[in-house]
Amino acid sequence: MSIPPVSDATTIAAAISQGRASAREIVASALDRIARIDGRVGAFTDVLTERARMRAETLDAAIARGEAIGPLAGVPFAVKNLIDVAGLPTRAGSKINRDCPPAARDGTVVRRLEEAGAILVGALNMGEYAYDFTGENVHDGDAHNPHALDHMTGGSSGGSGAAVAAGLVPLTLGSDTNGSIRVPAAFCGCFGMKPTYGRISRAGSFPFVGSLDHLGPMARSVADLALAYDALQGPDPEDPVLTSRVPEPASPSLESGIGGLRIAVAGGYFARGGDPEAFTAVARVAEALGASREVELPEAHRARAAAYLITAAEGATLHLDRLRTRPRDFDPAVRDRLIAGAMIPAPFVERAQRFRRWYRDAVLTVFDSVDVILAPATPCRAPKGGQTHFVLDGVTLPVRANIGLFTQPISFIGLPVVAVPVRLDAGLPLGVQVIAAPWREDLALRVARQLERDGICTAPVAEIA
């Protein structure tokens, strides 16, 4: 194998297409690294050794026959364990779900990445039923931040962020309801993408909040993120909210730069309530992009409150039967929040949904004069594992409930976002949200690529002691 054992997806696919490496070698290297390192990281819950090896042999044979291969040929990837994988129960981070029958087939997003040539090597740790911002799991053990193993990965896609940051695989899939891709991307120092609501099929994944759930990729490079995003697009009658728009690939325009783009910084709600370094990270990105304008998303604090209310109510409705029949098999912290959600009066939910429509219209008006908005991804760096409270802006707050205070007002109305990693010093990374108008993932990716090209936002593999 003529490429480093820890490489990004673009490098791997190029080496395989040019005959400098085989899929068998790449998969063997990934499986070896997982076996050596993941015991300390806790990213994986299931490793699909035989499936991955068989897929690699099939791909190498196709290449030997001169057949066309996809843009992600031979790239190892792994998925959050709420996405169906044939032959595995879809855990969704829970104890209860492992008693369910194994999935009969892969979820749509798994099939699409494999159609592009990628090779699934496993399923990844997550917070129970995705109701989590920490990456901690009482059933499977916690995922650990590869940059400091005694710190959180963020959640609920904690295993997805940790696997990328630790160099176990170059590409993962996660889900994002209120920030569950963007938070671990920030804490673990990698790139993450929450697409427009309805852009990528969720068929074959375990739901949390149907009106807020998104699936998306995480990676160590923007090019990898764009390749995965392009492969994941397309119609799917099994997801009723999926867009009817034709696929709009972002890779062809990735190197177009930011000339002509109107970039602004989110002020007001997004400029207070966090540690100073969270805002310093935004300022560093804004300076690099020449963005001096500030805009305000109206009533963002109410958007966060409404998102919380809808999340609790919809999530509780989904789990009512489990709460009645197997209450002791839940993580108590998850169970108690779901029970509280079940008691929310229906008129409260209706009012939150009416506000949601107003808020979406108001925010879209802001995009009449800007193309991209910058905001913090998290209010702080990754807390210590097991930490229950932190101090933000002089106020002591619960960690689990407040990590997503800057992500929730964005996913609440389904805007596309690329989370980019920022390193202010030798300490843990921070993250910045690059937010675009609906269906303009290409612009957010172009901005992220400019920042990566200029060395402002990079995602090196963590050195695991």
Side-chain angles (χ1 to χ4, degrees), residues 6 49 68 80 89 94 120 146 152-153 215 236 393 412 417 439 443:
V6 178
T49 301
K80 188 174 182 176
S94 71
L120 182 68
M152 295 175 181
T153 59
L215 300 183
D236 185 357
D393 203 19
F412 183 54
V417 188
W439 317 116
L443 299 186

Side-chain angles (χ1 to χ4, degrees), residues 133 177-179 182 209 211-212 269-270 272 296-312 348-349 351-364 401 404-415 433:
F133 272 132
T177 301
N178 285 300
R182 291 161 288 162
V209 181
S211 70
L212 292 170
Y269 172 87
F270 294 94
R272 59 178 181 267
E296 189 161 346
L297 304 189
E299 304 293 338
H301 65 293
R302 287 194 173 90
R304 182 182 179 233
Y308 248 119
L309 194 152
I310 291 168
T311 296
F348 287 20
V349 180
R351 185 176 179 182
Q353 294 286 20
R354 286 201 305 269
F355 169 79
R356 188 180 187 179
R357 290 191 291 272
W358 176 90
Y359 176 68
R360 184 178 190 276
D361 290 342
V363 172
L364 292 184
L405 64 91
F406 295 133
T407 53
Q408 287 181 284
I410 308 305
S411 43
F412 183 54
I413 52 173
L415 298 178
Q433 296 184 86

Side-chain angles (χ1 to χ4, degrees), residues 35-112:
R36 288 187 292 104
I37 292 176
D38 192 53
R40 283 164 283 169
V41 176
F44 281 80
T45 54
D46 304 90
V47 180
L48 304 172
T49 301
E50 290 308 311
R51 170 175 168 155
R53 286 176 174 163
M54 290 177 62
R55 171 73 175 163
E57 295 287 354
T58 299
L59 182 63
D60 285 338
I63 294 170
R65 292 191 298 268
E67 296 177 10
I69 58 175
L72 290 169
V75 173
F77 76 103
V79 300
K80 188 174 182 176
N81 71 27
L82 57 62
I83 297 170
D84 289 353
V85 174
L88 295 180
T90 305
R91 299 189 192 203
S94 71
K95 177 181 180 181
I96 295 171
N97 275 35
R98 38 193 103 187
D99 294 339
C100 297
R105 63 172 182 160
D106 297 330
T108 297
V109 289
V110 173
R111 297 198 305 272
R112 287 189 171 162

Side-chain angles (χ1 to χ4, degrees), residues 178-455:
N178 285 300
S180 289
I181 287 173
R182 291 161 288 162
V183 167
F187 282 176
C188 293
C190 60
F191 294 94
M193 182 183 194
K194 186 201 78 61
T196 307
Y197 182 79
R199 172 70 92 175
I200 291 175
S201 175
R202 304 169 303 178
S205 65
F206 195 88
F208 175 28
V209 181
S211 70
L212 292 170
D213 290 344
H214 309 68
L215 300 183
M218 301 175 74
R220 288 196 307 276
S221 79
V222 180
D224 289 3
L225 211 60
L227 280 175
Y229 166 68
D230 292 350
L232 292 167
Q233 294 184 58
D236 185 357
E238 295 183 33
D239 185 345
V241 307
L242 193 67
T243 182
S244 59
R245 298 167 70 97
V246 299
E248 298 169 290
S251 296
S253 64
L254 195 61
E255 302 295 341
S256 298
I258 60 171
L261 292 186
R262 301 166 298 173
I263 304 172
V265 176
Y269 172 87
F270 294 94
R272 59 178 181 267
D275 287 347
E277 57 197 8
F279 308 118
T280 299
V282 176
R284 177 170 293 185
V285 167
E287 181 181 11
L289 296 171
S292 57
R293 181 181 173 189
E294 184 176 288
V295 296
E296 189 161 346
L297 304 189
E299 304 293 338
H301 65 293
R302 287 194 173 90
R304 182 182 179 233
Y308 248 119
L309 194 152
I310 291 168
T311 296
E314 284 195 34
T317 299
L318 177 69
H319 291 288
L320 275 179
D321 286 344
R322 297 178 190 88
L323 290 167
R324 291 188 181 110
T325 60
R326 299 184 64 172
R328 290 181 176 83
D329 289 333
F330 280 87
D331 175 345
V334 172
R335 179 195 60 214
D336 293 350
R337 283 181 293 153
L338 289 171
I339 291 172
M343 295 187 287
I344 296 173
F348 287 20
V349 180
E350 181 185 6
R351 185 176 179 182
Q353 294 286 20
R354 286 201 305 269
F355 169 79
R356 188 180 187 179
R357 290 191 291 272
W358 176 90
Y359 176 68
R360 184 178 190 276
D361 290 342
V363 172
L364 292 184
T365 299
V366 177
F367 281 104
D368 289 341
S369 59
V370 300
D371 299 304
V372 168
I373 300 172
L374 309 174
T378 61
C380 59
R381 304 186 202 227
K384 285 281 189 77
Q387 184 176 333
T388 60
H389 289 76
F390 52 15
V391 178
L392 297 178
D393 203 19
V395 180
T396 300
L397 297 166
V399 168
R400 190 183 289 248
N402 289 282
I403 291 174
L405 64 91
F406 295 133
T407 53
Q408 287 181 284
I410 308 305
S411 43
F412 183 54
I413 52 173
L415 298 178
V417 188
V418 173
V420 298
V422 179
R423 284 170 172 75
L424 299 178
D425 49 40
L428 290 170
L430 291 142
V432 171
Q433 296 184 86
V434 180
I435 307 160
W439 317 116
R440 294 315 307 264
E441 289 88 347
D442 61 315
L443 299 186
L445 285 163
R446 278 171 53 188
V447 171
R449 175 58 184 139
Q450 182 71 48
L451 291 164
E452 182 185 41
R453 191 163 49 221
D454 292 344

